[in-house]
Amino acid sequence: MRELREFAKQFLGRLWIRLHGFDVRGDLPAGAGDVRDLVTGVVRSTSLDLRTKVRRALVARLPELEAVS
């Protein structure tokens, strides 16, 4: 559950930033396709960042994990 909250927090933060960019430029998504692309992009970037974080944590513990096996 903690992981889901972390993902949601990062997702909403990124979404807010992108929506704020639209507001600053005085621009709005043109239609449903643009909104879908916006949300898909935010999900993708959030997922990639979290995957990188997990990978770094595993690499950092690799010597410890190898010692156990």
Side-chain angles (χ1 to χ4, degrees):
M1 195 64 168
R2 190 180 107 225
E3 294 85 6
L4 185 57
R5 278 192 296 261
E6 181 180 346
F7 184 86
K9 181 180 175 182
Q10 290 185 18
F11 171 83
L12 291 174
R14 288 170 191 253
L15 181 60
W16 185 89
I17 289 168
R18 292 192 187 182
L19 291 174
H20 181 67
F22 279 115
D23 187 44
V24 168
R25 291 188 310 265
D27 195 13
L28 291 174
D34 287 343
V35 172
R36 184 178 52 245
D37 291 344
L38 172 71
V39 172
T40 300
V42 172
V43 168
R44 183 178 300 120
S45 68
T46 304
S47 296
L48 290 173
D49 281 354
L50 288 176
R51 186 169 56 187
T52 300
K53 182 179 176 181
V54 168
R55 185 179 297 127
R56 285 183 182 156
L58 289 172
V59 167
R61 293 193 62 197
L62 189 59
E64 178 184 325
L65 296 171
E66 288 176 340
V68 173
S69 60

